[in-house]
Amino acid sequence: MIYAANFKTNHTRQSTREYLAKLQIQLMSKKNSGDKVYVFPPLTALDDYNSADFTVGVQNAYPVESGAYTGEVGLEQLAEFNINTILIGHSERRDILNESQDEVAKKFAFFKEHNFEIIYCIGESLAIREQGIEAVMEHLISQFEGIDTSYDNFVIAYEPIWAIGTGRVASVEEITETHNALKKIVNKPLLYGGSVKGANITNISAIKNVDGVLVGGASLKPETFLELVLH
Ligand code: PEP
């Protein structure tokens, strides 16, 4: 299983360091050898954490090496911290920051070219979910536009927007149906994200085509994230 923690705009450099130190101690002795753990802290918390037990990635970056892009962070800045893992296409970036599919695809192409491991997020709104699975799949497929789904270093995160940070988790049936349909289209590791927590990890991780989870709220404390990783 893959366990990915997305801190979003939470945690400081200091609290991230403390968090990762706690994570390291527990993972070293208790993590299943087949599991992979990722942490996506805010950019200001980056450092060369260099652990064999977890990978630190970024929630976003600009698809350039360096240059005149005020306020953005490019490859040169990530390389300083040995970062080669990135989240692309998160619904908060698509919806709040108005990232278009075209921009998302450009980011994907750039970081693919630099051999990054890409965790690529897709997900539908509640209005689309209420129209049924065909509408959901049509939307999800549209989020692969311009994306080279044959890229090797590529993990997909299915995150229904209506389940992110809402406490409303998708049902086992909804996850099963959507993940089965997605796997037929793109056979890559497939994470579920949306209000995953200690109370539902056993049911969610038991679903056949769930290869891991992307976690927001329940990843903010090392104790609650570890509850998932070590369940
Ligand atoms: C997320 O934002 O990727 C997410 C899944 O958040 P939460 O776990 O809080 O729903």
Side-chain angles (χ1 to χ4, degrees):
M1 279 279 287
I2 293 171
Y3 298 88
N6 177 11
F7 287 1
K8 310 187 183 186
T9 316
N10 297 293
H11 277 294
T12 60
R13 185 179 185 75
Q14 178 61 27
S15 67
T16 299
R17 200 173 283 142
E18 288 163 12
Y19 182 110
L20 293 176
K22 284 189 190 164
L23 200 64
Q24 178 65 60
I25 292 170
Q26 295 295 320
L27 292 181
M28 239 168 15
S29 53
K30 300 197 183 131
K31 183 174 135 250
N32 285 333
S33 56
D35 289 344
K36 284 187 83 177
V37 175
Y38 296 85
V39 179
F40 296 89
L43 286 168
T44 55
L46 291 185
D47 211 336
D48 198 352
Y49 293 107
N50 189 24
S51 164
D53 294 300
F54 59 80
T55 299
V56 172
V58 285
Q59 301 167 22
N60 180 49
Y62 202 62
V64 293
E65 298 214 9
S66 60
Y69 305 94
T70 302
E72 297 293 342
V73 161
L75 200 61
E76 183 178 284
Q77 290 76 38
L78 301 184
E80 186 179 12
F81 301 110
N82 291 320
I83 297 293
N84 45 34
T85 304
I86 186 167
L87 279 183
I88 294 181
H90 194 281
S91 61
E92 285 156 13
R93 295 209 58 85
R94 292 180 191 263
D95 294 347
I96 302 171
L97 295 146
N98 295 321
E99 236 172 61
S100 66
Q101 183 60 28
D102 193 40
E103 287 167 315
V104 166
K106 277 194 188 124
K107 267 185 201 179
F108 190 100
F110 179 85
F111 287 102
K112 175 193 140 193
E113 192 188 321
H114 291 90
N115 297 316
F116 268 56
E117 177 160 30
I118 298 174
I119 300 192
Y120 183 69
C121 306
I122 56 174
E124 81 286 357
S125 64
L126 187 56
I128 295 176
R129 172 53 70 176
E130 282 171 346
Q131 289 167 38
I133 187 68
E134 277 179 23
V136 169
M137 290 312 297
E138 190 182 320
H139 178 75
L140 298 180
I141 289 166
S142 77
Q143 294 187 316
F144 288 123
E145 220 172 273
I147 304 297
D148 176 6
T149 55
S150 69
Y151 181 46
D152 276 341
N153 218 354
F154 171 38
V155 172
I156 299 166
Y158 167 60
E159 300 205 297
I161 298 167
W162 46 274
I164 295 180
T166 59
R168 178 179 166 180
V169 66
S171 68
V172 167
E173 292 71 28
E174 286 168 327
I175 300 173
T176 304
E177 187 178 40
T178 313
H179 276 228
N180 287 348
L182 279 169
K183 276 276 184 178
K184 283 189 194 141
I185 297 163
V186 189
N187 192 10
K188 295 286 172 188
L190 181 55
L191 315 184
Y192 167 76
S195 298
V196 175
K197 51 181 188 265
N200 55 35
I201 186 67
T202 305
N203 286 344
I204 291 172
S205 61
I207 300 172
K208 185 170 154 254
N209 278 326
V210 169
D211 302 307
V213 287
L214 178 53
V215 189
S219 77
L220 294 183
K221 289 188 187 147
E223 295 77 19
T224 50
F225 185 51
L226 279 161
E227 199 182 330
L228 307 180
V229 178
L230 306 176
H231 80 277

